């Protein structure tokens, strides 16, 4: 098995640079906000983080491809960095501190490294294939994380993000029934639901409509923490449609419950 330690180190350096930009811009709230054709918001901070990460990758790993939310794909080859410069832009522009930079590395079609940096939460999570999942402020100050051992939905803590897409995908009734039957529900939203699954605080996180850049980093971290990460239809990997992350024990039941019924 390849050793991804050096790529994890680079992901931390990329996140350090991203954090320097986002922390300052978030505190200043001097953002230029635009609306994209899909009616979602983007700021100059999102673009500046992605540009910075892209230029660091092209100088340190010139042969690696990059896929990010805000700019066209660059390069091609077996190694591809997948970047969401700010996950939770809607929070970022409203002064809510729940947002993060997501950095993933895919090699030959499989996610190998993931890092999520949420500086205003004082949190970073990362994982590499075969190296486990970790949280802490830096590589040197880290503790290993693991998913929960909850096996029944009635005891489970379920977190989701948006309600959008459940009804249009024919899964509305299944989703409402899950919320009714779960032990506890919250909409922690965005990356946070999935990182709480990896930490064993939340047992299930799900969402029917997400893009590759929203999920790539989360996939490795949840799996290396001992959980499962699939599409909402049960396909392995962060390739959609949507995402279902669980501690593993609750995965089959959730796939059955979230099957389209209309
Ligand atoms: C959004 C978040 C959110 C999801 C949206 C995404 P962004 O990402 O992942 O949880 O519901 O579909 O677009 O735009 O804040 O990076
Ligand atoms: Ca966006
Ligand atoms: Ca996102
Ligand atoms: Ca984003």
């Amino acid at each position: 098995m390849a050793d991804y330690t050096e790529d994890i180190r680079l992901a931390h350096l990329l996140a350090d640079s991203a954090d320097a930009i986002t922390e300052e811009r978030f505190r200043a709230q001097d953002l230029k906000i635009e609306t994209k054709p899909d009616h979602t918001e983007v700021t100059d901070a999102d673009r500046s983080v992605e540009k910075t990460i892209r230029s660091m990758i092209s100088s340190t790993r010139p042969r690696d491809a990059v896929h990010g939310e805000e700019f066209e794909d660059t390069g091609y080859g077996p190694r591809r960095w997948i970047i969401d410069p700010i996950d939770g832009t809607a929070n970022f522009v409203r002064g809510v501190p729940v947002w993060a930079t997501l950095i993933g590395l895919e090699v030959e079609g499989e996610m190998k490294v993931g890092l999520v940096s949420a500086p205003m939460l004082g949190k970073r999570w990362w994982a590499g294939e075969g190296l486990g999942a970790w949280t802490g402020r830096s590589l040197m100050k880290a503790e290993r994380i693991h998913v929960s051992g909850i096996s029944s939905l009635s005891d489970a803590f379920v977190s989701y993000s948006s309600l959008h897409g459940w009804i249009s995908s024919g899964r509305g009734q299944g989703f409402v029934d899950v919320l009714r039957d779960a032990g506890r529900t919250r909409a922690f939203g965005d990356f946070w639901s999935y990182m709480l699954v990896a930490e064993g605080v939340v047992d299930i996180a799900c969402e029917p409509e997400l893009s590759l850049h929203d999920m790539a980093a989360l996939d490795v971290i949840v799996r290396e923490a001992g959980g499962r990460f699939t599409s909402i239809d049960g396909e392995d990997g962060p390739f959609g449609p949507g995402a279902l992350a669980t501690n593993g024990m609750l995965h089959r039941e959730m796939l059955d419950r979230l099957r389209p019924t209309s």
Side-chain angles (χ1 to χ4, degrees):
M1 192 185 287
D3 181 357
Y4 291 100
T5 308
E6 281 312 309
D7 294 304
I8 293 175
R9 253 188 247 286
L10 174 59
H12 277 277
L13 293 176
L14 300 174
D16 291 343
S17 296
D19 289 359
I21 299 168
T22 49
E23 280 191 66
E24 204 238 302
R25 300 301 308 280
F26 180 74
R27 289 212 169 85
Q29 284 292 320
D30 58 350
L31 304 161
K32 291 192 187 69
I33 306 171
E34 285 171 35
T35 305
K36 295 206 239 184
D38 66 358
H39 306 294
T40 60
E41 294 158 321
V42 62
T43 75
D44 54 333
D46 297 66
R47 295 200 179 107
S48 136
V49 169
E50 189 169 323
K51 266 192 197 155
T52 299
I53 291 177
R54 282 173 175 276
S55 94
M56 287 176 75
I57 292 171
S58 80
S59 58
T60 53
R61 301 276 200 281
R63 289 203 301 226
D64 291 1
V66 183
H67 172 78
E69 179 176 6
E70 310 301 350
F71 296 97
E72 295 292 309
D73 289 358
T74 50
Y76 63 94
R79 289 169 48 96
R80 176 166 74 144
W81 294 86
I82 302 173
I83 310 298
D84 186 341
I86 300 179
D87 185 45
T89 298
N91 287 343
F92 191 85
V93 301
R94 287 165 182 79
V96 178
V98 184
W99 47 266
T101 296
L102 316 187
I103 298 164
L105 174 67
E106 179 197 64
V107 181
E108 283 165 355
E110 284 180 16
M111 293 309 305
K112 302 295 187 184
V113 169
L115 184 144
V116 171
S117 187
M120 297 311 289
L121 299 180
K123 296 278 278 180
R124 212 174 254 195
W125 301 264
W126 64 91
E129 185 185 64
L131 298 170
W134 301 82
T135 191
R137 283 184 174 265
S138 69
L139 260 176
M140 292 320 196
K141 283 193 184 157
E143 61 183 277
R144 198 146 181 187
I145 51 174
H146 207 275
V147 294
S148 73
I150 299 286
S151 59
S152 136
L153 183 59
S154 59
D155 295 326
F157 197 159
V158 178
S159 177
Y160 57 98
S161 187
S162 141
L163 291 175
H164 192 252
W166 289 108
I167 293 171
S168 58
S169 65
R171 304 172 204 267
Q173 192 57 52
F175 180 64
V176 169
D177 290 350
V178 164
L179 299 188
R180 179 196 61 201
D181 296 341
R184 192 169 292 213
T185 56
R186 290 287 186 283
F188 289 113
D190 308 325
F191 68 94
W192 208 18
S193 303
Y194 301 88
M195 293 304 92
L196 290 171
V197 170
E199 285 187 349
V201 174
V202 162
D203 310 298
I204 296 165
C206 53
E207 204 167 345
E209 289 177 349
L210 285 173
S211 301
L212 177 60
H213 59 260
D214 297 312
M215 301 186 275
L218 314 180
D219 165 281
V220 201
I221 299 170
V222 169
R223 285 189 293 107
E224 284 291 321
R228 271 197 81 189
F229 191 105
T230 67
S231 76
I232 210 83
D233 290 329
E235 297 296 325
D236 284 329
F239 307 109
L244 171 65
T246 72
N247 62 6
M249 294 182 188
L250 295 158
H251 214 84
R252 185 73 261 160
E253 177 177 354
M254 285 296 291
L255 288 174
D256 290 344
R257 282 174 168 266
L258 294 176
R259 209 165 272 149
T261 55
S262 54

